[in-house]
């Protein structure tokens, strides 16, 4: 049974020496760590961009609300509707 298992492992390893397999595994581990680091950096960058976009959209909504308020000063019902919409947002 031991010989069969050794034979199966050798077939899987394509009869490469152990040192070659270990070097391959080390290289894969390095690549995995680099990809994990890149993934972390990309996630941080995405969060920063989302935060900036939220800030921009909030400022845009406030500015549009003020503009609409200024243009509709004469109609109190529209002002009330705009205030309700703004408070919901």
């Amino acid at each position: 049974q031991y010989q069969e298992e050794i034979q199966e492992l050798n077939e899987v390893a394509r009869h490469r020496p152990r040192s070659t397999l270990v070097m391959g595994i080390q290289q894969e581990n390095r690549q995995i760590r680099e990809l994990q680091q890149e993934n972390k950096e990309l996630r941080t960058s995405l969060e920063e961009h989302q935060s900036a976009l939220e800030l921009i959209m909030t400022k845009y909504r406030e500015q549009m609300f003020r503009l609409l308020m200024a243009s509709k000063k004469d109609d109190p019902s529209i002002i009330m509707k705009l205030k309700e919409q703004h408070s919901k947002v």
Side-chain angles (χ1 to χ4, degrees), residues 5 8 23 25-26 28 44-45 48 51 74 78 85:
E5 289 181 15
E8 287 178 28
M23 285 177 36
I25 291 170
Q26 289 174 340
E28 287 177 10
T44 302
S45 179
E48 289 173 359
S51 177
D74 299 330
I78 292 177
Q85 289 175 353

Side-chain angles (χ1 to χ4, degrees), residues 43-78:
R43 187 173 286 121
T44 302
S45 179
L46 176 62
E47 290 170 359
E48 289 173 359
H49 282 85
Q50 286 176 332
S51 177
L53 186 57
E54 287 175 15
L55 177 64
I56 290 168
M57 290 307 296
T58 299
K59 295 293 183 182
Y60 172 77
R61 288 183 194 106
E62 290 173 1
Q63 199 66 15
M64 289 305 297
F65 179 73
R66 288 188 193 121
L67 181 63
L68 289 171
M69 291 289 285
S71 67
K72 303 292 181 184
K73 278 188 177 179
D74 299 330
D75 192 348
S77 65
I78 292 177

Side-chain angles (χ1 to χ4, degrees), residues 17-49:
R18 183 172 186 263
S19 61
T20 304
L21 294 174
V22 170
M23 285 177 36
I25 291 170
Q26 289 174 340
Q27 184 179 6
E28 287 177 10
N29 285 342
R30 259 193 311 272
Q31 290 173 340
I32 289 171
R33 281 193 299 271
E34 289 172 4
L35 289 172
Q36 287 172 334
Q37 180 62 31
E38 183 180 359
N39 191 20
K40 187 177 181 180
E41 292 170 4
L42 289 171
R43 187 173 286 121
T44 302
S45 179
L46 176 62
E47 290 170 359
E48 289 173 359
H49 282 85

